[in-house]
Amino acid sequence: MLMRTDPFRELDRLAQQLTGVTGTSSRPSVLPMDAYREGEEYVIALDLPGVDKDAVEVDVERNMLTVKAERRPAAEADNVQMELSERPVGVFSRQLVLADTLDTERITADYEAGVLTLRIPIAERAKPRKVSIGGGSEHRQIRG
């Protein structure tokens, strides 16, 4: 039900590890995520540790889901001298193409313990249903 939009994600992640450069607004880092089906909905869980809830944006346009977040350095005062900085900071983003079988009008989002959880219900039109079969008198014959 989900399609990847960035085939070079692993290369970007490797380059970030080697260079130490994190995302910028023009080239955001990719958010790690899990996606799975649970009953009658799809669940997407994105890791955002250390990101304030107000710094997270979730947008849906047609079937394109976009999640953006920004993590700023914890210590930015003039009298602070950073001794070690290993936690990534910068802009993070993830875009997903959602299948037409998902109900993008009813997406819910929860943010707890640094994890953004999106729940997307499966559209009614995509659920299995029984088709009634009419009797012989209702049958139409096609003539060629």
PDB file of all heavy atoms in Angstrom, residues 3-16:
ATOM      1  N   MET A   3       4.555   3.129  -1.377  1.00  0.00           N
ATOM      2  CA  MET A   3       5.601   3.024  -2.369  1.00  0.00           C
ATOM      3  C   MET A   3       6.747   3.944  -1.980  1.00  0.00           C
ATOM      4  O   MET A   3       6.517   5.083  -1.575  1.00  0.00           O
ATOM      5  CB  MET A   3       5.068   3.416  -3.747  1.00  0.00           C
ATOM      6  CG  MET A   3       3.948   2.514  -4.205  1.00  0.00           C
ATOM      7  SD  MET A   3       3.299   2.827  -5.851  1.00  0.00           S
ATOM      8  CE  MET A   3       3.143   4.559  -5.952  1.00  0.00           C
ATOM      9  N   ARG A   4       7.969   3.457  -2.087  1.00  0.00           N
ATOM     10  CA  ARG A   4       9.127   4.286  -1.778  1.00  0.00           C
ATOM     11  C   ARG A   4       9.310   5.336  -2.864  1.00  0.00           C
ATOM     12  O   ARG A   4       9.110   5.067  -4.034  1.00  0.00           O
ATOM     13  CB  ARG A   4      10.393   3.451  -1.697  1.00  0.00           C
ATOM     14  CG  ARG A   4      10.429   2.575  -0.489  1.00  0.00           C
ATOM     15  CD  ARG A   4      11.750   1.861  -0.459  1.00  0.00           C
ATOM     16  NE  ARG A   4      11.738   0.922   0.628  1.00  0.00           N
ATOM     17  CZ  ARG A   4      12.684   0.853   1.532  1.00  0.00           C
ATOM     18  NH1 ARG A   4      13.703   1.644   1.481  1.00  0.00           N
ATOM     19  NH2 ARG A   4      12.603  -0.029   2.499  1.00  0.00           N
ATOM     20  N   THR A   5       9.743   6.538  -2.461  1.00  0.00           N
ATOM     21  CA  THR A   5       9.940   7.606  -3.430  1.00  0.00           C
ATOM     22  C   THR A   5      11.400   7.983  -3.592  1.00  0.00           C
ATOM     23  O   THR A   5      11.728   8.735  -4.480  1.00  0.00           O
ATOM     24  CB  THR A   5       9.152   8.866  -3.014  1.00  0.00           C
ATOM     25  OG1 THR A   5       9.588   9.265  -1.722  1.00  0.00           O
ATOM     26  CG2 THR A   5       7.674   8.598  -3.019  1.00  0.00           C
ATOM     27  N   ASP A   6      12.304   7.475  -2.742  1.00  0.00           N
ATOM     28  CA  ASP A   6      13.705   7.843  -2.818  1.00  0.00           C
ATOM     29  C   ASP A   6      14.580   6.598  -2.844  1.00  0.00           C
ATOM     30  O   ASP A   6      14.939   6.062  -1.806  1.00  0.00           O
ATOM     31  CB  ASP A   6      14.083   8.724  -1.621  1.00  0.00           C
ATOM     32  CG  ASP A   6      15.472   9.304  -1.750  1.00  0.00           C
ATOM     33  OD1 ASP A   6      16.153   9.020  -2.760  1.00  0.00           O
ATOM     34  OD2 ASP A   6      15.886  10.046  -0.854  1.00  0.00           O
ATOM     35  N   PRO A   7      14.961   6.145  -4.039  1.00  0.00           N
ATOM     36  CA  PRO A   7      15.752   4.918  -4.125  1.00  0.00           C
ATOM     37  C   PRO A   7      17.178   5.076  -3.615  1.00  0.00           C
ATOM     38  O   PRO A   7      17.879   4.098  -3.413  1.00  0.00           O
ATOM     39  CB  PRO A   7      15.737   4.599  -5.623  1.00  0.00           C
ATOM     40  CG  PRO A   7      15.509   5.906  -6.281  1.00  0.00           C
ATOM     41  CD  PRO A   7      14.644   6.693  -5.342  1.00  0.00           C
ATOM     42  N   PHE A   8      17.642   6.289  -3.390  1.00  0.00           N
ATOM     43  CA  PHE A   8      19.015   6.530  -2.959  1.00  0.00           C
ATOM     44  C   PHE A   8      19.133   6.792  -1.461  1.00  0.00           C
ATOM     45  O   PHE A   8      20.126   7.322  -0.989  1.00  0.00           O
ATOM     46  CB  PHE A   8      19.611   7.699  -3.748  1.00  0.00           C
ATOM     47  CG  PHE A   8      19.620   7.444  -5.225  1.00  0.00           C
ATOM     48  CD1 PHE A   8      18.702   8.061  -6.050  1.00  0.00           C
ATOM     49  CD2 PHE A   8      20.536   6.560  -5.786  1.00  0.00           C
ATOM     50  CE1 PHE A   8      18.694   7.811  -7.412  1.00  0.00           C
ATOM     51  CE2 PHE A   8      20.542   6.306  -7.146  1.00  0.00           C
ATOM     52  CZ  PHE A   8      19.618   6.932  -7.964  1.00  0.00           C
ATOM     53  N   ARG A   9      18.113   6.431  -0.699  1.00  0.00           N
ATOM     54  CA  ARG A   9      18.091   6.678   0.741  1.00  0.00           C
ATOM     55  C   ARG A   9      19.291   6.075   1.455  1.00  0.00           C
ATOM     56  O   ARG A   9      19.911   6.722   2.296  1.00  0.00           O
ATOM     57  CB  ARG A   9      16.795   6.133   1.328  1.00  0.00           C
ATOM     58  CG  ARG A   9      16.597   6.496   2.778  1.00  0.00           C
ATOM     59  CD  ARG A   9      15.326   5.934   3.280  1.00  0.00           C
ATOM     60  NE  ARG A   9      15.681   4.636   3.840  1.00  0.00           N
ATOM     61  CZ  ARG A   9      14.830   3.711   4.214  1.00  0.00           C
ATOM     62  NH1 ARG A   9      13.570   3.896   4.085  1.00  0.00           N
ATOM     63  NH2 ARG A   9      15.247   2.596   4.732  1.00  0.00           N
ATOM     64  N   GLU A  10      19.628   4.845   1.151  1.00  0.00           N
ATOM     65  CA  GLU A  10      20.761   4.194   1.826  1.00  0.00           C
ATOM     66  C   GLU A  10      22.078   4.888   1.509  1.00  0.00           C
ATOM     67  O   GLU A  10      22.948   5.011   2.372  1.00  0.00           O
ATOM     68  CB  GLU A  10      20.828   2.709   1.461  1.00  0.00           C
ATOM     69  CG  GLU A  10      19.677   1.896   2.018  1.00  0.00           C
ATOM     70  CD  GLU A  10      19.572   1.963   3.530  1.00  0.00           C
ATOM     71  OE1 GLU A  10      20.613   1.913   4.215  1.00  0.00           O
ATOM     72  OE2 GLU A  10      18.437   2.072   4.031  1.00  0.00           O
ATOM     73  N   LEU A  11      22.249   5.355   0.266  1.00  0.00           N
ATOM     74  CA  LEU A  11      23.461   6.087  -0.092  1.00  0.00           C
ATOM     75  C   LEU A  11      23.554   7.403   0.682  1.00  0.00           C
ATOM     76  O   LEU A  11      24.632   7.794   1.139  1.00  0.00           O
ATOM     77  CB  LEU A  11      23.507   6.352  -1.595  1.00  0.00           C
ATOM     78  CG  LEU A  11      23.712   5.120  -2.479  1.00  0.00           C
ATOM     79  CD1 LEU A  11      23.603   5.497  -3.945  1.00  0.00           C
ATOM     80  CD2 LEU A  11      25.061   4.490  -2.190  1.00  0.00           C
ATOM     81  N   ASP A  12      22.434   8.099   0.825  1.00  0.00           N
ATOM     82  CA  ASP A  12      22.419   9.334   1.602  1.00  0.00           C
ATOM     83  C   ASP A  12      22.780   9.074   3.056  1.00  0.00           C
ATOM     84  O   ASP A  12      23.539   9.836   3.666  1.00  0.00           O
ATOM     85  CB  ASP A  12      21.038  10.007   1.534  1.00  0.00           C
ATOM     86  CG  ASP A  12      20.769  10.652   0.196  1.00  0.00           C
ATOM     87  OD1 ASP A  12      21.734  10.861  -0.567  1.00  0.00           O
ATOM     88  OD2 ASP A  12      19.592  10.936  -0.093  1.00  0.00           O
ATOM     89  N   ARG A  13      22.232   8.015   3.622  1.00  0.00           N
ATOM     90  CA  ARG A  13      22.518   7.689   5.017  1.00  0.00           C
ATOM     91  C   ARG A  13      24.007   7.368   5.209  1.00  0.00           C
ATOM     92  O   ARG A  13      24.630   7.819   6.162  1.00  0.00           O
ATOM     93  CB  ARG A  13      21.654   6.508   5.466  1.00  0.00           C
ATOM     94  CG  ARG A  13      21.776   6.232   6.958  1.00  0.00           C
ATOM     95  CD  ARG A  13      20.930   5.081   7.398  1.00  0.00           C
ATOM     96  NE  ARG A  13      19.533   5.326   7.064  1.00  0.00           N
ATOM     97  CZ  ARG A  13      18.592   4.409   7.157  1.00  0.00           C
ATOM     98  NH1 ARG A  13      18.875   3.196   7.548  1.00  0.00           N
ATOM     99  NH2 ARG A  13      17.357   4.688   6.858  1.00  0.00           N
ATOM    100  N   LEU A  14      24.601   6.623   4.280  1.00  0.00           N
ATOM    101  CA  LEU A  14      26.017   6.299   4.349  1.00  0.00           C
ATOM    102  C   LEU A  14      26.871   7.562   4.229  1.00  0.00           C
ATOM    103  O   LEU A  14      27.829   7.744   4.981  1.00  0.00           O
ATOM    104  CB  LEU A  14      26.380   5.298   3.251  1.00  0.00           C
ATOM    105  CG  LEU A  14      27.838   4.864   3.187  1.00  0.00           C
ATOM    106  CD1 LEU A  14      28.233   4.163   4.485  1.00  0.00           C
ATOM    107  CD2 LEU A  14      28.060   3.957   1.992  1.00  0.00           C
ATOM    108  N   ALA A  15      26.522   8.448   3.318  1.00  0.00           N
ATOM    109  CA  ALA A  15      27.269   9.695   3.150  1.00  0.00           C
ATOM    110  C   ALA A  15      27.197  10.549   4.412  1.00  0.00           C
ATOM    111  O   ALA A  15      28.186  11.171   4.815  1.00  0.00           O
ATOM    112  CB  ALA A  15      26.724  10.474   1.952  1.00  0.00           C
ATOM    113  N   GLN A  16      26.043  10.576   5.075  1.00  0.00           N
ATOM    114  CA  GLN A  16      25.907  11.337   6.322  1.00  0.00           C
ATOM    115  C   GLN A  16      26.805  10.761   7.403  1.00  0.00           C
ATOM    116  O   GLN A  16      27.429  11.494   8.159  1.00  0.00           O
ATOM    117  CB  GLN A  16      24.460  11.332   6.805  1.00  0.00           C
ATOM    118  CG  GLN A  16      23.555  12.225   6.025  1.00  0.00           C
ATOM    119  CD  GLN A  16      22.125  12.109   6.493  1.00  0.00           C
ATOM    120  OE1 GLN A  16      21.822  11.382   7.429  1.00  0.00           O
ATOM    121  NE2 GLN A  16      21.235  12.809   5.831  1.00  0.00           N
TER     122      GLN A  16
END
